[in-house]
Amino acid sequence: MTLTLSTKPAVKKQVQAYVVIFLAAIVYTIGFQGFLQVARIFSTGVSAFAALPTFLDTDLIPYVSLFSLALNIPLVRFMIKTIYFLVVQAALGSLFIIHEVNHVFKTLLFYNQISDSPRKDGWPILLMGAIGATLMGFAMGVSWKFGGSTGGTDMITYYYSSKKQKSVGSIMFIISTGILMFSFAVAVATNEDMRDYWLLSLTASISYILVLTVIINFVYPKYSKVELTISSEKVTEISKALKDTGYQHSWRIEEFESGYHQRKSKQIKTIIFLLESRDIIRFIHSIDPHAWISMIEVKRVWGKFNQTVIEEKD
């Protein structure tokens, strides 16, 4: 038996997950097609390959989500939530084929400067890239939190992130930079217009990757660890409850003397993943609503650390 990190019924949690992933797909699509493609900035992962045809023919921009879906299908196999995310994104992205929808984004701030004179005014491209990266990074992080993904190279990112127990953002930065360089070289080689403002495009694309990984690490700090210190008059009950529910991290009970009350008391210390902290704190407060809990960041842990709960949440 393992510690249940949420008191929500399983069905309710699944419904919530699909609703959140749906909303994340909306945000991702707006960031990708409404900002990134408008600014002609190279994206990451499979989306980068899906976007390559648009550098040859700008009339293909409204179809980029469909290209992305087609490229991802062989990769995602039976990952239901990932397929769900991709289908929603493709459906929403297809709306950009409609002239009226495209017109809405063409009237956005900075669009004319970007589309008419990218070499003259570079800052709008950088700004649009930052907005797109923020929206996409937030959507990706939220989707991962609820068991979905954007497909494609997420599989590689997950594998190495889990194997090395490093942040998703740092692994994605390495993979994305490699894909960026390949996409950039192809676009410059096949599109003469790109050669006129290659430095601006490359700068904007690198800035996009930096912002994207920072946002992802903030929203989805998968392997970030914290130490909880729990002071309570029910330490024995809390310790027993942790054991009975199969809590998968070690903990220790310490005795201390209160400086304020001048009496001896006990506290529990344990190191957990940051993503677990909210549910575990709720669990403790369900036993003792008056428990005093502090949390500090743990930079690194040497030795075996159980990550089963984090992997199961994915």
Side-chain angles (χ1 to χ4, degrees):
M1 183 178 180
T2 58
L3 175 62
T4 302
L5 295 180
S6 176
T7 57
K8 296 178 181 178
V11 174
K12 184 176 180 180
K13 286 180 64 178
Q14 288 299 315
V15 171
Q16 182 189 57
Y18 280 100
V19 171
V20 171
I21 292 172
F22 179 85
L23 297 176
I26 295 176
V27 175
Y28 183 91
T29 304
I30 293 174
F32 181 43
Q33 288 191 234
F35 289 90
L36 218 63
Q37 287 295 289
V38 168
R40 314 300 287 135
I41 292 175
F42 294 92
S43 58
T44 60
V46 171
S47 296
F49 297 104
L52 277 179
T54 69
F55 286 93
L56 301 176
D57 185 354
T58 55
D59 291 336
L60 295 176
I61 291 178
Y63 300 90
V64 71
S65 286
L66 294 177
F67 297 157
S68 180
L69 174 62
L71 289 173
N72 270 293
I73 287 175
L75 299 174
V76 298
R77 294 188 179 182
F78 302 108
M79 298 176 63
I80 296 175
K81 289 180 181 176
T82 296
I83 294 174
Y84 173 71
F85 180 97
L86 291 169
V87 170
V88 172
Q89 186 209 345
L92 294 170
S94 298
L95 296 177
F96 283 78
I97 300 173
I98 303 172
H99 173 75
E100 289 74 15
V101 175
N102 248 327
H103 180 72
V104 170
F105 283 93
K106 285 184 177 181
T107 57
L108 286 174
L109 190 61
F110 311 127
Y111 181 86
N112 290 332
Q113 295 95 313
I114 292 172
S115 59
D116 295 339
S117 183
R119 287 164 291 177
K120 180 180 178 182
D121 299 309
W123 64 270
I125 292 182
L126 295 173
L127 182 57
M128 291 287 275
I131 295 173
T134 301
L135 293 175
M136 292 172 66
F138 177 79
M140 293 169 74
V142 169
S143 180
W144 286 338
K145 264 188 174 182
F146 285 83
S149 77
T150 58
T153 53
D154 282 4
M155 316 303 171
I156 302 173
T157 300
Y158 268 132
Y159 173 76
Y160 282 104
S161 175
S162 300
K163 185 176 181 180
K164 303 293 184 181
Q165 286 201 22
K166 291 186 177 181
S167 67
V168 171
S170 62
I171 300 296
M172 175 170 284
F173 177 80
I174 297 172
I175 296 173
S176 298
T177 302
I179 294 175
L180 164 64
M181 293 306 174
F182 172 79
S183 303
F184 180 77
V186 172
V188 171
T190 56
N191 189 328
E192 292 185 2
D193 292 337
M194 282 291 297
R195 300 168 195 170
D196 295 329
Y197 58 99
W198 68 269
L199 182 59
L200 174 59
S201 179
L202 182 61
T203 301
S205 298
I206 293 175
S207 300
Y208 152 77
I209 292 177
L210 288 171
V211 173
L212 183 76
T213 52
V214 168
I215 296 297
I216 288 174
N217 278 338
F218 176 76
V219 176
Y220 187 60
K222 183 174 181 180
Y223 290 109
S224 295
K225 301 176 183 69
V226 294
E227 181 183 71
L228 291 185
T229 300
I230 306 151
S231 299
S232 169
E233 294 182 356
K234 298 183 178 180
V235 164
T236 302
E237 290 91 330
I238 293 173
S239 181
K240 183 177 184 303
L242 291 174
K243 185 176 181 179
D244 291 344
T245 52
Y247 180 63
Q248 300 190 19
H249 302 301
S250 63
W251 72 95
R252 66 178 181 269
I253 299 174
E254 300 177 342
E255 287 192 3
F256 66 95
E257 184 174 327
S258 170
Y260 183 80
H261 295 290
Q262 298 296 308
R263 64 170 180 253
K264 290 185 178 181
S265 188
K266 294 181 179 180
Q267 63 184 14
I268 295 174
K269 284 193 174 183
T270 184
I271 295 177
I272 62 174
F273 289 108
L274 177 60
L275 291 178
E276 299 176 86
S277 60
R278 180 180 296 180
D279 290 328
I280 290 177
I281 289 172
R282 286 176 179 170
F283 177 77
I284 293 168
H285 277 155
S286 70
I287 300 171
D288 181 6
H290 303 292
W292 189 87
I293 303 173
S294 65
M295 182 169 64
I296 59 174
E297 182 181 2
V298 175
K299 292 293 185 182
R300 187 169 297 180
V301 172
W302 283 268
K304 188 176 180 181
F305 193 83
N306 194 313
Q307 61 188 64
T308 304
V309 174
I310 289 295
E311 303 304 338
E312 286 177 350
K313 285 170 77 69
D314 288 342

